[in-house]
Each structure stands twice: as structure tokens, then as C-alpha cells.
């Protein structure tokens, strides 16, 4: 179901919109000024914004500007609604990135057709955004998305996070899998390894593929002891889980480096933590492989 946010200072317009949109099966949220519209977008999954041009306090134009300046929200299609057909206003709104402009009183049939258009754009955008964040082979977060989500976890809470851990995970002697069974078999192993990884860690841990046969897990609110335990559980699961290659089963092992930090503040340098984990991974490879070091 699609969620449409209607922002208008005129209560009768809001009620009319709610009636017409709900009749089409949309979920409708209402806001009476720009500030509440932006707050509603922060707190809900809004697909389309219907935005009145003139409202007391923050105007529709100002609301539009702020929305477009917020990267995660800039792709929500905005349809401006206004009693004014001032050409300069229409041009200004479209140049600021509004998807469409509809004059009030609106014709329901026409507005609904314009909304369906905006929803098609929304769907395409979401599909592309998803593709850009996902590793094609394993369907895990790709490197960019892994780092972005980890940074978001760091910068989200207003107060400091007590602990955070990052694990860098690399399959041992993976080149030999490709050499002995072929590149396609190698791909199958990567997929099964990724599945095991996603299953083993908690839902709110961030899991990604950050290199060819290299994976990473960001664990918010986890101390060193628990992080190492979780990684060891995964390392042993890998050791014991046969990878299914059609008519053959093979076993692989993995080396893991874990770095932890305490009292993570907004703006913490996540890269530094990744590098520390990488260093432990390097040591794990030097030591023996099939081991977790922190
Ligand atoms: P180590 O234990 O030191 O990590 O040895 P390794 O063989 O795993 O490491 P190395 O870096 O020498 O080789 C990594 C191999 O992973 C080489 C590369 O061809 C393979 N690889 C990287 N990406 C993919 C992929 O997407 N599919 C397949 N099948 N192989 C890949
Ligand atoms: Mg108004
Ligand atoms: Mg390797
Ligand atoms: Mg490697």
C-alpha cells in the first residue's frame, strides 16, 4: 500500500483529499504546515507528498527546498497543490524539483492520474536505489551501502553508543576453490557463505560483501567479548557447513579480524575501525587461518 502525505493549511482541502485518496486505497497522512510535513516524512515511509504552496510558517517552497536537501528524502515525488496559477511560482517549484503542479480546486480524476504517474516514478527510483546498494551475487549490502549504514548507525543516536564492533571476514584459500572447481562453483560458495553470514548475525547487525571473497559485519552495541563470541560461532558454522556444489560437497574455512570501540560519538571515524579490523584479519592469516583475532 502506498502512503501519501497531504500538507495543506486548509482543513477542508485535507478532508477532501483524504476522502478521494482513501477511496483509491491509499494510506493518507495529513499535515497542516511545512514543519509537521517534514516531521511526518522523518517518522513514516512516505511515498508521495502533496504540498500546498501557501501555508503559514514554512511555505510549500521552503518545505520543498528542505526535502530536496535531505538525501534520503530527496527522491520522494512532490506534487504541488495551489489555488494560484502564477506562472513564476509553477516554474520555481518545478525547478526546485517538484514532480508536478496541480491547481485547486482539483479535479479528482486528473489528480489521481497524476498521482499514479508519480508512483510509477517512485517505484522505479526505489528499484534503482536498491540495485545500487545491493551486491549482485550475494544480495548482501555492497561495500558502499555497508559503510553508509554503519555510519548511519554511528550518527543516529543523540547520545553516545556504548560499544561497537566491526568484523572483517575473509574466506581462506578461496583461490583454490576457483582453481579446483571452477569460477562458477566459487560463485555458489560465495552465495552460500553469504547466506550463512546473514543467518548467523542478529537482525540489527549490518552485513556486507566488501570485496571478492571478503565480508564485513558491523555490530552496534556489542562489547569485544560478545563480538568475538559471535564471530567464533560463525567461524565454526562455516567450518562445519558443507557447501553444496551440485553433486559434490566441499568445506571452506574463514579468518576473522575484530575491532571494537567504546563510547562511540557522532562523527566517529568508522574507517579507522575497519582498518583496525583489517589488521587483525591480516594477523589471523599470518598466524594460521581459520581463527578469529581481536
Ligand atoms: P587467503 O587465505 O590468503 O585469503 O587466500 P585466498 O586464495 O582466499 O586469497 P586471494 O586474495 O589470493 O584470492 C582471492 C580469490 O577470490 C581470487 C579471486 O579470483 C577470487 N574471487 C574474487 N571475487 C570472486 C567472485 O566474485 N567469484 C569467484 N568465483 N571468485 C572470486
Ligand atoms: Mg494554503
Ligand atoms: Mg581469502
Ligand atoms: Mg581476500
Amino acid at each position: 500500500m502506498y502512503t501519501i502525505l497531504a500538507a495543506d493549511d486548509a482543513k477542508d482541502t485535507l478532508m477532501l483529499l483524504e476522502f478521494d485518496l482513501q477511496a483509491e486505497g491509499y494510506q493518507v497522512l495529513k499535515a497542516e504546515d511545512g514543519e509537521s510535513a517534514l516531521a511526518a516524512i522523518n517518522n513514516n515511509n512516505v511515498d508521495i507528498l502533496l504540498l500546498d504552496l501557501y501555508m503559514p510558517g514554512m511555505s510549500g517552497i521552503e518545505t520543498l527546498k528542505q526535502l530536496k536537501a535531505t538525501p534520503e528524502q530527496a527522491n520522494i515525488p512532490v506534487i504541488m497543490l495551489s489555488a494560484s496559477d502564477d506562472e513564476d511560482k509553477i516554474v520555481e517549484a518545478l525547478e526546485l524539483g517538484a514532480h508536478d503542479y496541480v491547481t485547486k480546486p482539483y479535479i479528482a480524476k486528473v489528480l489521481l492520474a497524476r498521482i499514479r504517474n508519480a508512483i510509477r516514478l517512485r517505484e522505479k527510483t526505489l528499484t534503482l536505489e536498491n540495485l545500487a546498494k545491493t551486491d549482485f551475487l550475494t544480495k548482501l549490502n555492497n561495500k558502499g551501502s555497508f559503510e553508509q549504514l554503519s555510519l548511519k548507525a554511528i550518527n543516529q543516536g543523540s547520545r553516545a553508543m556504548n560499544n561497537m564492533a566491526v568484523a572483517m571476514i575473509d574466506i581462506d584459500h578461496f583461490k583454490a576453490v576457483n582453481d579446483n572447481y571452477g569460477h562458477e562453483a566459487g560463485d555458489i560458495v560465495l552465495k552460500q557463505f553469504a547466506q550463512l553470514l546473514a543467518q548467523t548475525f542478529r537482525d540489527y547487525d549490518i552485513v556486507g560483501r566488501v570485496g571478492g571473497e571478503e565480508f564485513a559485519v558491523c555490530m552496534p552495541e556489542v562489547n569485544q567479548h560478545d563480538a568475538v563470541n559471535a564471530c567464533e560461532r560463525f567461524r565454526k558454522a562455516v567450518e562445519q557447513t558443507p557447501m553444496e556444489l551440485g553433486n559434490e560437497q566441499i568445506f571452506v574455512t574463514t579468518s576473522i579480524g575484530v575491532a571494537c570501540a567504546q563510547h562511540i560519538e557522532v562523527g566517529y571515524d568508522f574507517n579507522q575501525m575497519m582498518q583496525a579490523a583489517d589488521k587483525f584479519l591480516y594477523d589471523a592469516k599470518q598466524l594460521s587461518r581459520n581463527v578469529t583475532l581481536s
Side-chain angles (χ1 to χ4, degrees):
M1 198 212 274
Y2 294 100
T3 300
I4 300 180
L5 171 62
D8 199 305
D9 59 318
K11 282 203 179 69
D12 52 345
T13 304
L14 279 184
M15 279 174 62
L16 208 58
L17 282 169
E18 184 174 41
F19 180 83
D20 287 335
L21 297 175
Q22 278 180 348
E24 289 298 302
Y26 296 117
Q27 185 183 345
V28 181
L29 302 174
K30 294 178 289 182
E32 289 184 23
D33 54 60
E35 287 89 348
S36 353
L38 292 177
I41 288 172
N42 276 329
N43 298 326
N44 299 276
N45 263 328
V46 171
D47 292 302
I48 306 288
L49 171 60
L50 299 182
L51 184 57
D52 182 26
L53 199 56
Y54 295 105
M55 295 183 288
M58 197 189 286
S59 72
I61 290 289
E62 189 52 40
T63 309
L64 179 64
K65 276 188 195 163
Q66 294 215 9
L67 186 79
K68 293 296 167 187
T70 311
E72 308 93 79
Q73 300 171 350
N75 284 330
I76 297 173
V78 179
I79 300 176
M80 302 303 292
L81 267 182
S82 178
S84 156
D85 58 0
D86 175 348
E87 289 160 14
D88 292 336
K89 278 291 169 207
I90 299 178
V91 170
E92 185 183 7
L94 292 175
E95 280 185 347
L96 285 170
H99 171 68
D100 208 343
Y101 192 107
V102 173
T103 50
K104 288 188 288 190
Y106 65 85
I107 300 162
K109 201 167 127 185
V110 175
L111 178 64
L112 290 169
R114 289 182 185 276
I115 287 175
R116 286 196 295 276
N117 246 345
I119 281 174
R120 279 192 284 276
L121 173 67
R122 173 74 173 157
E123 274 180 343
K124 273 186 209 155
T125 308
L126 288 178
T127 304
L128 288 176
E129 274 179 359
N130 214 24
L131 270 177
K133 290 177 186 167
T134 307
D135 170 55
F136 184 74
L137 181 69
T138 64
K139 308 299 176 213
L140 296 182
N141 294 303
N142 62 22
K143 186 167 193 279
S145 170
F146 170 78
E147 290 180 1
Q148 208 177 10
L149 289 171
S150 301
L151 278 177
K152 202 170 154 190
I154 288 172
N155 291 328
Q156 222 160 29
S158 52
R159 66 193 174 83
M161 197 187 288
N162 280 325
N163 299 288
M164 188 160 103
V166 168
M168 297 293 286
I169 299 171
D170 187 290
I171 305 180
D172 296 327
H173 298 305
F174 188 67
K175 198 174 165 304
V177 174
N178 279 334
D179 290 349
N180 295 333
Y181 303 92
H183 200 267
E184 257 176 59
D187 281 0
I188 293 171
V189 171
L190 287 172
K191 279 198 244 183
Q192 290 178 25
F193 186 90
Q195 217 168 26
L196 197 56
L197 186 66
Q199 278 166 13
T200 307
F201 285 86
R202 307 167 303 175
D203 279 349
Y204 39 92
D205 291 331
I206 301 154
V207 176
R209 182 184 184 204
V210 296
E213 28 75 81
E214 212 164 307
F215 299 81
V217 182
C218 172
M219 293 166 265
E221 295 295 0
V222 159
N223 62 33
Q224 174 157 357
H225 179 78
D226 292 343
V228 170
N229 273 350
C231 289
E232 273 294 278
R233 191 152 33 88
F234 174 66
R235 187 189 61 76
K236 287 175 188 156
V238 169
E239 196 177 38
Q240 290 162 9
T241 305
M243 302 285 164
E244 305 286 345
L245 298 179
N247 45 16
E248 247 184 305
Q249 292 185 331
I250 65 164
F251 288 84
V252 296
T253 61
T254 184
S255 299
I256 306 178
V258 185
C260 290
Q262 291 182 313
H263 309 301
I264 301 269
E265 304 275 353
V266 170
Y268 178 82
D269 183 2
F270 182 64
N271 224 24
Q272 182 191 317
M273 205 167 167
M274 295 262 283
Q275 281 169 13
D278 234 349
K279 173 76 175 66
F280 286 119
L281 172 59
Y282 178 83
D283 293 343
K285 292 283 184 187
Q286 298 299 310
L287 183 70
S288 61
R289 293 186 170 78
N290 193 19
V291 69
T292 303
L293 287 188
S294 71

